[in-house]
Amino acid sequence: MNRARRWPGVPVALALTLLFTLLTAAAVTATTAAPAAAEQTPLRAADPSVLRVGSTYIAVQSHSGSLVVRQADSPAGLATAPARTVWTDTGGLGEVWAPEIVRDGGRYYVYFAAGKGAAHRMYVIGSDSPDSGYSPASRLALPDDKWAIDGTLFTFGGQRWFVWSGWAGDTDVEQNLYIARMSSPTTPTGARYVISQPRESWERVVGDPYINEGPEPIKDPAGRLHIVYSANGSWSDSYCLADLRLRAGGDPTYVWDWYKSNGCLFGSHRDTMMTGWDPTLHVDGPGHHTFVLLDGDIATSPPAGPRFPLMFHAVRKGTPYAWENRYWNTGTFCWWGDTTYRRAHVPGPTSDTGWSLKFFE
């Protein structure tokens, strides 16, 4: 049975909710009715990263060893918008993957993985303009200097953070999620801390290696931090989205302050879904998503109630599941209240109740 949705009352947060609504009204039409089918864009690609600045949607994509930026007046319009190349791998780094565009202090930064085999590391370029004038790529000095992909920057609790998917050592056994502090958008500081490992049965459907990747931060209506990530291998239609929720007042660097959803929240196989969440009807293997946030800032995360834009990659049902058949899709999400995540045989409380998320094709 679906859990009842908690709707916000009229307390102090009303002013912030109204402000967010005014900011998004011109560019977002919220709906409470599910679309008839997933909106597959004409863009055959993976790993969308999209933010909104004013009424303009800005996306970055990896394409043939280069990074391209598109701008449009709607998420769906990005697929046919002109692609401007902002960086090309002239240095032969190899395998340019999964760029993430963020905005910090009015400046744009694109983080991306590049390398060959075990040499994949995170790099960053920056510019005052979203689609031109970027700096040369510099390698992020992430702590421990291990294989790293899918990294992104965000601010929470007055501190910049960087979250990514990586290896514990030098071999491809499993991909964990790590977090580290940042003293600036380009400078990690201190140690790396593991916050998730693919150890639950529903995220070990496919292996070699087992996967946690594509972390995307967002803040819920109670102000708690979530990292929504992709589980299972992207080469399988068991690829799905799951959630990490930081306990109230928790330390983002302490793994046992994070509670994991008890199954996929957005996936195409019922046996991997969290109880009360249904599998997709129109696509297989939805994953590596992007929350389309104002300025890409989790401080502008949406309130409870209506649905808000989401983009993800997936393969349309009835099509052979393969990387080359992945397309960007537009969808929506909303907050889902009073949801309990449970765990066992770990330090600390074995359950935590708070906001979760519902995703819609």
Side-chain angles (χ1 to χ4, degrees):
M1 178 180 295
N2 287 343
R3 294 170 173 80
R5 190 185 310 177
R6 183 197 301 162
W7 298 91
V10 187
V12 180
L14 178 59
L16 292 176
T17 299
L18 290 173
L19 177 60
F20 185 94
T21 302
L22 288 171
L23 287 170
T24 58
V28 177
T29 301
T31 176
T32 56
E39 287 191 73
Q40 177 179 287
T41 76
L43 190 59
R44 188 191 295 257
D47 310 325
S49 175
V50 183
L51 54 76
R52 182 170 66 83
V53 178
S55 60
T56 301
Y57 293 84
I58 303 168
V60 66
Q61 174 197 355
S62 173
H63 179 69
S64 299
S66 296
L67 301 176
V68 300
V69 169
R70 302 168 187 266
Q71 299 187 70
D73 60 5
S74 69
L78 290 166
T80 54
R84 295 194 61 178
T85 300
V86 298
W87 178 86
T88 298
D89 182 17
T90 57
L93 293 175
E95 296 178 347
V96 178
W97 289 349
E100 290 281 332
I101 188 165
V102 304
R103 199 164 183 238
D104 185 291
R107 187 170 171 82
Y108 296 89
Y109 296 90
V110 176
Y111 300 89
F112 63 95
K116 301 173 183 177
H120 279 90
R121 297 296 187 273
M122 289 302 307
Y123 293 81
V124 60
I125 57 176
S127 175
D128 292 330
S129 171
D131 63 356
S132 64
Y134 278 88
S135 63
S138 61
R139 180 166 152 177
L140 281 182
L142 291 175
D144 297 337
D145 189 26
K146 302 298 182 183
W147 187 92
I149 65 169
D150 295 354
T152 194
L153 178 81
F154 67 98
T155 298
F156 177 75
Q159 168 69 56
R160 289 187 182 94
W161 302 91
F162 195 77
V163 62
W164 72 98
S165 175
W167 297 351
D170 297 314
T171 55
D172 192 6
V173 177
E174 62 182 8
Q175 288 176 221
N176 305 321
L177 299 184
Y178 293 94
I179 196 168
R181 293 179 175 86
M182 300 283 283
S183 60
S184 77
T186 59
T187 308
T189 182
R192 69 170 179 166
Y193 301 89
V194 65
I195 59 172
S196 180
Q197 295 173 284
R199 301 292 175 82
E200 301 300 321
S201 60
W202 52 268
E203 56 185 353
R204 294 173 70 88
V205 177
V206 294
D208 194 23
Y210 296 111
I211 300 287
N212 281 179
E213 65 183 15
E216 294 291 335
I218 193 166
K219 191 165 65 172
D220 72 24
R224 294 171 65 177
L225 177 63
H226 295 244
I227 302 291
V228 179
Y229 67 96
S230 300
N232 293 306
S234 62
W235 58 90
S236 162
D237 64 5
S238 292
Y239 204 50
C240 70
L241 294 184
D243 181 37
L244 291 174
R245 182 175 64 212
L246 187 67
R247 74 169 180 85
D251 177 358
T253 68
Y254 182 53
V255 65
W256 303 122
D257 277 353
W258 291 94
Y259 286 79
K260 183 176 290 190
S261 58
N262 299 121
C264 302
L265 301 182
F266 195 34
S268 52
H269 288 271
R270 184 170 294 279
D271 58 354
T272 64
M273 302 299 292
M274 183 162 161
T275 301
W277 272 250
D278 295 321
T280 52
L281 296 175
H282 308 289
V283 299
D284 286 324
H288 205 131
H289 70 300
T290 180
F291 293 114
V292 184
L293 299 179
L294 180 64
D295 291 323
D297 184 356
I298 70 168
T300 71
S301 297
R307 298 182 187 176
F308 290 87
L310 172 82
M311 293 195 77
F312 59 94
H313 75 232
V315 174
R316 185 164 293 277
K317 284 187 182 293
T319 303
Y321 194 90
W323 282 342
E324 60 267 25
N325 289 333
R326 293 178 297 184
Y327 284 81
W328 285 15
N329 287 257
T330 58
T332 57
F333 73 97
C334 71
W335 293 108
W336 206 259
D338 295 318
T339 303
T340 299
Y341 296 166
R342 292 182 171 83
R343 61 189 188 182
H345 313 302
V346 297
T350 57
S351 66
D352 179 83
T353 299
W355 290 100
S356 186
L357 304 101
K358 286 271 187 173
F359 297 96
F360 305 90
E361 299 171 83

